[in-house]
Amino acid sequence: MIFGSAIILSGPSGVGKSTLISRVRQELPELEFSVSCTTRSPRPGETNHVHYHFLSDEEFSLRLEKGKFIEHAGVFARRYGTLRQEVMDRVSAGRDVVLDIDVQGAMQIREAARKDPQLAAVAEFVFVAPPSLEELERRLRGRGTESEEQIRLRLGLARQELSFWRHYDYLLINHDVANTAVELLGLIRGFRLKSSRQPEELFS
Ligand code: 5GP
């Protein structure tokens, strides 16, 4: 049995994670996306169950009580969480899945992996950093989806998040999305070649 990879991609809001993921998925259509749950409202262009499972606070709490989340975190006064099923069903079936989650969530998965050898074998931690904080601010403003208050909040958090990059196995500096997408693609292809991912019975 060959397991897929769970690619845990973190980095400050506005760094370009979503664009990066769509670019890579154009090249690797079989790469699946872990649709997170959130209590925030959809932005224009976002579709329920495609970009997020948009939940009320009560619905989120119910899933939390039932132990459905592999990780969950409060980000920008909203709740976000990854359903265990979104990840483990896919990797067990040999499919690769990418998670766009914040550092709190990624660190929870790191911790969980210490006690869960299957999770440890499939989880790959990748941090995406901006070339500088000034460039991040420019991109956040350019996106035009957040209020001034939200932009300040996100920039403040970005500083804290950036300090976590050493806790990840790989660092991508997103100078240019096309190049960074090629780097990420290379990593994902490399993960598939890991000897630990190959079937035990090979050559026996
Ligand atoms: P946004 O609201 O801009 O879509 O996402 C805000 C932040 O929440 C991003 O840094 C994103 O990576 C993070 N995020 C999205 N889904 C999850 C999740 O399921 N768990 C955690 N911990 N963070 C998430």
Side-chain angles (χ1 to χ4, degrees), residues 55-177:
L55 303 181
S56 66
D57 228 33
E58 295 69 40
E59 288 168 326
F60 195 99
S61 298
L62 198 68
R63 282 166 180 73
L64 188 58
E65 281 159 26
K66 288 187 178 165
K68 301 273 184 201
F69 293 121
I70 199 168
E71 64 74 32
H72 66 96
V75 190
F76 314 124
R78 295 282 179 231
R79 294 201 281 172
Y80 293 82
T82 305
L83 295 168
R84 191 175 304 277
Q85 190 189 329
E86 289 277 338
V87 179
M88 298 319 284
D89 287 1
R90 288 170 169 138
V91 293
S92 307
R95 307 203 299 268
D96 293 337
V97 59
V98 62
L99 288 72
D100 172 349
I101 66 173
D102 85 324
V103 293
Q104 306 170 68
M107 294 304 102
Q108 285 174 39
I109 296 184
R110 259 252 191 267
E111 199 48 44
R114 281 186 216 280
K115 292 171 217 132
D116 180 342
Q118 190 196 347
L119 186 58
V122 300
E124 304 288 358
F125 295 84
V126 181
F127 193 87
V128 188
S132 66
L133 276 168
E134 292 71 31
E135 175 60 19
L136 183 70
E137 180 167 358
R138 206 184 58 75
R139 288 182 196 175
L140 269 176
R141 290 191 188 284
R143 195 158 83 170
T145 49
E146 274 83 29
S147 63
E148 183 59 32
E149 189 198 344
Q150 277 290 323
I151 290 176
R152 291 231 184 99
L153 195 68
R154 282 167 195 250
L155 282 173
L157 198 72
R159 250 174 235 284
Q160 294 173 28
E161 290 212 297
L162 281 173
S163 67
F164 274 85
W165 71 270
R166 278 226 177 261
H167 296 275
Y168 289 72
D169 303 318
Y170 302 89
L171 172 68
L172 300 175
I173 300 182
N174 192 15
H175 289 279
D176 166 85
V177 74

Side-chain angles (χ1 to χ4, degrees), residues 182-202:
V182 171
E183 288 176 342
L184 182 56
L185 201 61
L187 283 180
I188 296 172
R189 290 192 168 129
F191 298 150
R192 292 182 182 169
L193 302 177
K194 278 189 155 180
S195 59
S196 55
R197 295 279 161 78
Q198 312 311 320
E200 287 282 330
E201 62 280 8
L202 205 65

